[in-house]
Amino acid sequence: MLPFHQAVADDFEAVNQLIIEQLESNVDLVENIGHYLVEAGGKRLRPLLVLLSANALQYQGRQHLQLAAIIEFIHTATLLHDDVVDISNMRRGRLTANAKWGNAPSVLVGDFLYSRAFQIMVAIGDMEIMRVLSDTTNTISEGEVQQLVNAKDPSVSEANYLEVIYKKTGALFEAACDTAAILGGASDAQRQALKQFGYHLGLAFQLIDDALDYEGDPETLGKNVGDDLAEGKPTLPLIHAMAQGTEKEAETIAQAIREGDIGMLDAVVTIVKQTGALEYTLKCANEHAQKAIDQLQLLEDTPYRTAMEQLAKFSVGRDH
Ligand code: GRG
């Protein structure tokens, strides 16, 4: 448990219980894959954001537990689908579900978790929460399609890249805070601040994810590194290195992106480091984390708010 979990330790435990309960199905394969993923853990940052945001608003009900489970189910469904699309074989320090069971079970159990999330949402019964989450899942899917279109294209701009990472990652962080704000009866200003907190945190988180793909340790990360290059993903470390490097260096990276050539990883990492592209990516992440933290001024000074600040700092300082 990370320090920022302590502020909501009881709620967090209750959400973990609820997640297990909500995996219930008459079909064993659903439960087997569901439990396999859930038992592997994961950092559970998104449900934590729901719990911290709701508590920061002094929310007194119990529906924030359901909301946190919904957000984690949506997240897990996207991971299941993503690992199939990316043909990944390591996640949370274990074989991915697609590596263990195959693509069809992974996609279908992803669908099960995704639709279970909407069943729980109906149980909460708040139309504004449903609107935010249906828009968000649509945005995530659109971001993934946009990323697919961008693959193997070295001409993708920084602005296009930022749009993709907002859609695929930032949107769910934003929605976690926004929906908790709705549930917690936030004022318009507080809701906007929480939404912006999630937005900036999500961007910071994905920027770090993209940097770690070039400098992380697979053991600590629990997943492979270099996967982005293998897929020809034009992420910020590469975009910046192409902009800052010599013509020859830019062409080496462009070729690696066009060919999705993992064999060029060492050469690419050297250029990425020499051109300061990792530092630049970290700088952007830190700026977003600071913008997230700045939003917290609109909340009362509580242990929950402090934990949100710690969570933002962890997200940019993390090695996994
Ligand atoms: C099912 C709505 C729906 C959409 C499918 C494939 C897809 C569309 C979306 C994938 C989006 C995706 C995987 C974005 C990356 C987000 C990301 C950085 C995941 C890793 O998050 P962590 O590190 O994971 O928080 P843990 O394992 O800690 O939970």
Side-chain angles (χ1 to χ4, degrees):
M1 207 181 259
L2 293 158
F4 44 83
H5 285 74
Q6 302 298 343
V8 283
D10 291 348
D11 278 358
F12 190 68
E13 187 47 41
V15 171
N16 289 340
Q17 278 305 318
L18 188 60
I19 285 175
I20 307 273
E21 277 167 34
Q22 289 293 338
L23 286 175
E24 190 276 327
S25 161
N26 293 328
V27 179
D28 288 348
L29 185 61
V30 171
E31 292 200 342
N32 291 346
I33 298 184
H35 282 287
Y36 179 79
L37 288 164
V38 163
E39 277 154 22
K43 296 178 285 295
R44 304 258 158 104
L45 295 183
R46 296 159 189 80
L48 203 53
L49 280 177
V50 173
L51 301 178
L52 291 171
S53 303
N55 278 288
L57 294 167
Q58 288 95 42
Y59 172 69
Q60 296 298 318
R62 302 293 287 167
Q63 288 185 322
H64 64 317
L65 307 178
Q66 287 170 297
L67 186 56
I70 289 169
I71 298 283
E72 187 64 5
F73 273 15
I74 293 173
H75 169 59
T76 310
T78 70
L79 296 185
L80 276 165
H81 287 186
D82 197 53
D83 287 339
V84 170
V85 172
D86 292 350
I87 324 176
S88 303
N89 58 14
M90 275 268 285
R91 163 83 63 192
R92 296 178 174 169
R94 311 177 159 200
L95 284 178
T96 53
N98 46 300
K100 204 169 152 67
W101 282 277
N103 287 347
S106 291
V107 170
L108 297 174
V109 173
D111 292 339
F112 176 90
L113 293 177
Y114 181 54
S115 49
R116 178 57 50 90
F118 278 83
Q119 288 178 311
I120 310 172
M121 232 177 276
V122 171
I124 293 181
D126 183 305
M127 192 49 91
E128 181 63 358
I129 290 178
M130 277 188 243
R131 188 192 63 72
V132 170
L133 291 175
S134 53
D135 284 353
T136 299
T137 49
N138 187 257
T139 298
I140 296 171
S141 309
E142 188 176 57
E144 281 290 299
V145 179
Q146 196 172 338
Q147 177 172 266
L148 192 67
V149 171
N150 288 351
K152 305 203 168 170
D153 180 357
S155 72
V156 168
S157 66
E158 187 169 328
N160 184 330
Y161 160 82
L162 287 172
E163 193 178 319
V164 168
I165 68 167
Y166 162 66
K167 288 179 177 172
K168 74 170 194 174
T169 305
L172 192 57
F173 278 83
E174 180 184 68
C177 297
D178 190 21
T179 51
I182 298 167
L183 202 58
S187 65
D188 286 350
Q190 284 174 325
R191 179 174 168 191
Q192 196 51 29
L194 278 166
K195 194 173 162 185
Q196 284 291 306
F197 174 81
Y199 167 85
H200 287 295
L201 179 61
L203 289 185
F205 187 85
Q206 187 61 53
L207 284 160
I208 295 296
D209 223 65
D210 291 346
L212 286 172
D213 207 65
Y214 288 97
E215 62 168 2
D217 165 35
E219 281 276 304
T220 322
L221 275 175
K223 62 179 185 182
N224 300 323
V225 296
D227 278 1
D228 289 348
L229 187 65
E231 290 157 37
K233 270 188 201 162
T235 57
L236 192 56
L238 302 190
I239 294 171
H240 190 77
M242 280 189 287
Q244 295 301 312
T246 62
E247 215 171 294
K248 188 162 172 284
E249 286 171 332
E251 180 44 35
T252 301
I253 292 186
Q255 186 194 339
I257 293 175
R258 274 195 300 271
E259 294 172 10
D261 186 358
I262 190 74
M264 293 175 75
L265 185 62
D266 287 347
V268 167
V269 168
T270 304
I271 299 168
V272 160
K273 288 191 173 154
Q274 257 167 21
T275 53
L278 285 177
E279 281 95 336
Y280 177 73
T281 306
L282 297 190
K283 180 171 92 64
C284 293
N286 277 304
E287 282 169 8
H288 279 292
Q290 189 53 50
K291 283 184 183 161
I293 290 168
D294 292 346
Q295 301 297 322
L296 297 174
Q297 294 313 316
L298 262 128
L299 302 178
E300 266 179 48
D301 186 4
T302 61
Y304 311 110
R305 187 181 89 169
T306 307
M308 290 172 86
E309 186 172 337
Q310 287 170 339
L311 194 157
K313 287 182 177 154
F314 163 82
S315 293
V316 279
R318 73 197 173 101
D319 57 7
H320 68 292

